[in-house]
Amino acid sequence: MICSTLRRVGHVHIYLVRKASGVSKGHHQQTVGSRPAASEFAARGASGNVLELLGKSYPQDNYSNLSRKVLSRVGRNLHNQQHHPLWLIKERVKEHFYQQYVGRFGTPLFSVYDDLSPVVTTWQNFDSLLIPADHPSRKKGDNYYVNGTHMLRAHTSAHQWDLLRAGLDAFLVVGDVYRRDQIDSQHYPVFHQLEGVRLFSKHELFTGIKDGESLQLFEQSSRSAYKQETHTMEATKLLEFDLKQTLTRLVTHLFGDAGAQDQIGWAFGLGLERLAMILYDIPDIRLFWSEDERFLKQFRVSDINQKVKFQPLSKYPAVINDISFWLPSENYTENDFYDLVRTIGGDLVEKVELIDKFEHPKTHKTSHCYRITYRHMERTLSQREVRRVHQAVQEAAVQLLGVEGRF
């Protein structure tokens, strides 16, 4: 197993990782010409149904909550689409690591894995990272489950255990990850991560350190199936310095100057969309899924390190509609509503805000009012066509979420 200590630095997630003992080896086109049916909200079915995904069959159960919107994104692999802005970021990071970190025989120290399946087991996504069974990050409201035992990975760290088990001690993993979340210009249910992992043996970490032969990786403390001994202060400080130096070099390259039985190491994770939005001045995360030639041609450069400043497409006006309803007595989460809106409205939905909460003084029922901003990325929307989508959202909320409309 892998034991991870997480710290958050901006959009960079930093882990101290150890290999534990006993380890062996279709794009969907959104249209508004006709009203979407509420039945299109989810691909879930009754127990006994089977979902075909990436060439494999998965039985459905009461954990299945994949929306058709999300399923339409599986397999797109924007990070492997040549000259896509996410591909450019990935290639620039790869180039940096290949040039800066070279092994004993002149070959790249870090190997790269960018085509691993996004369908993983819940054990890979949670248990292999020592995330407890009752941890809130496992909630259905925050994840996309294929069924009770499989899911769309919520982070590329889901592959760490398998890669460490294979004997790797320095690697990068790139891939699409899936989380149910709010809706605005910075959040999308599918995004892309790149993470790096490096392990050090005692010899590797303390080489060149004065009296390094007398230093140890771990304190003399207890080891269990769930954790190793405590790191020594010397080992922790050296790891911290090495990770800081690694990330500083990477950030300088991109932006300019502006667990083991006998190994310990570090890991970091980066969001490719966040980097691309900063580097290329891309204002809306939905644009990464655009097939508009005016967007894509801006990133067809001969040199991956060439500076690109995104030239905005015409800013089409927004159409805003509110929706209010009484919540059911139980089993309602805001992410359920966001996922429903995203599925019905697709990329026409720019933002969803909860603008008002109200509790009835007599019935104690709670009402929510959401403001939905609709804006097409490539043309002007009419209130008439938006009304069709908005009405479908209202109907689906009643039918699928059990709310009582105040329309």
Side-chain angles (χ1 to χ4, degrees), residues 27-58:
H27 178 61
H28 175 68
Q29 180 67 36
Q30 173 64 34
T31 62
V32 295
S34 59
R35 185 190 307 168
S39 61
E40 293 183 358
F41 167 58
R44 66 172 70 91
S47 295
N49 288 356
V50 174
L51 173 67
E52 301 290 335
L53 187 59
L54 299 179
K56 294 186 178 181
S57 300
Y58 300 93

Side-chain angles (χ1 to χ4, degrees), residues 350-389:
E350 178 178 86
K351 189 175 184 179
V352 179
E353 299 175 89
L354 176 60
I355 61 173
D356 185 58
K357 289 183 179 181
F358 169 73
E359 182 175 330
H360 195 285
K362 293 183 179 180
T363 65
H364 300 293
K365 295 174 64 175
T366 300
S367 171
H368 279 188
C369 180
Y370 295 89
R371 177 155 294 162
I372 304 178
T373 302
Y374 300 89
R375 192 195 308 267
H376 202 291
M377 305 297 291
E378 300 160 13
R379 64 178 179 84
T380 299
L381 289 172
S382 69
Q383 180 63 261
R384 181 180 179 182
E385 58 186 342
V386 168
R387 192 178 299 117
R388 296 193 189 101
V389 178

Side-chain angles (χ1 to χ4, degrees), residues 43 53 102 106 108 195-196 209 216 220 234 239 290 292 325 364 393:
L53 187 59
V102 180
E195 74 171 74
I209 302 298
Q216 301 296 321
Q220 292 299 316
E234 295 83 3
L239 281 183
S290 174
D292 190 323
F325 47 75
H364 300 293
V393 170

Side-chain angles (χ1 to χ4, degrees), residues 112-132:
V112 178
Y113 298 86
D114 60 7
D115 60 354
L116 300 174
S117 174
V119 181
V120 298
T121 64
T122 52
W123 188 92
Q124 289 174 298
N125 199 79
F126 298 119
D127 299 272
S128 72
L129 297 166
L130 300 185
I131 298 174

Side-chain angles (χ1 to χ4, degrees), residues 33-290:
S34 59
R35 185 190 307 168
S39 61
E40 293 183 358
F41 167 58
R44 66 172 70 91
S47 295
N49 288 356
V50 174
L51 173 67
E52 301 290 335
L53 187 59
L54 299 179
K56 294 186 178 181
S57 300
Y58 300 93
Q60 303 289 274
D61 57 26
N62 60 0
Y63 247 79
S64 306
N65 67 347
L66 294 181
S67 66
R68 296 188 186 279
K69 173 69 176 180
V70 167
L71 283 174
S72 73
R73 299 315 196 204
V74 178
R76 286 286 299 277
N77 297 326
L78 299 183
H79 61 288
N80 289 334
Q81 181 180 317
Q82 193 170 21
H83 298 299
H84 190 279
L86 299 182
W87 176 85
L88 288 176
I89 297 291
K90 181 195 73 171
E91 291 301 310
R92 292 183 66 183
V93 174
K94 283 172 54 180
E95 178 188 67
H96 171 76
F97 274 87
Y98 283 171
Q99 292 179 351
Q100 293 292 320
Y101 303 94
V102 180
R104 288 180 296 174
F105 304 105
T107 56
L109 178 65
F110 284 81
S111 52
V112 178
Y113 298 86
D114 60 7
D115 60 354
L116 300 174
S117 174
V119 181
V120 298
T121 64
T122 52
W123 188 92
Q124 289 174 298
N125 199 79
F126 298 119
D127 299 272
S128 72
L129 297 166
L130 300 185
I131 298 174
D134 59 352
H135 196 275
S137 66
R138 293 178 180 251
K139 292 188 302 184
K140 283 180 63 176
D142 292 341
N143 299 283
Y144 288 105
Y145 283 92
V146 177
N147 53 37
T149 59
H150 289 79
M151 64 186 299
L152 297 179
R153 62 190 169 204
H155 42 229
T156 49
S157 301
H159 302 288
Q160 280 187 11
W161 191 91
D162 293 303
L163 294 174
L164 292 173
R165 181 189 181 194
L168 300 175
D169 55 16
F171 55 85
L172 304 177
V173 182
V174 193
D176 44 340
V177 298
Y178 300 78
R179 297 181 193 171
R180 305 176 87 215
D181 209 339
Q182 64 197 80
I183 300 177
D184 56 36
S185 63
Q186 302 290 319
H187 295 86
Y188 202 79
V190 189
F191 57 102
H192 297 74
Q193 282 188 339
L194 181 151
E195 74 171 74
V197 174
R198 187 174 183 187
L199 300 184
F200 297 84
S201 65
K202 175 182 174 180
H203 171 75
E204 291 170 326
L205 189 62
F206 295 128
T207 293
I209 302 298
K210 183 179 179 181
D211 298 324
E213 64 278 359
S214 64
L215 299 177
Q216 301 296 321
L217 295 179
F218 303 104
E219 301 280 6
Q220 292 299 316
S221 56
S222 61
R223 172 192 289 264
S224 72
Y226 303 101
K227 69 178 292 290
Q228 291 175 307
E229 299 95 326
T230 302
H231 293 151
T232 62
M233 183 60 68
E234 295 83 3
T236 302
K237 287 295 184 182
L238 285 171
L239 281 183
E240 182 180 2
F241 176 78
D242 189 83
L243 175 57
K244 181 179 179 180
Q245 188 178 58
T246 298
L247 291 175
T248 299
R249 289 174 177 172
L250 176 59
V251 170
T252 300
H253 173 70
L254 292 176
F255 293 93
D257 291 328
Q261 294 178 9
D262 56 355
Q263 292 175 296
I264 60 176
W266 51 249
F268 67 84
L270 305 170
L272 294 188
E273 279 86 352
R274 293 287 188 266
L275 289 176
M277 293 174 83
I278 295 171
L279 278 171
Y280 305 135
D281 288 334
I282 297 174
D284 196 306
I285 198 169
R286 293 176 297 165
L287 280 165
F288 292 104
W289 297 91
S290 174

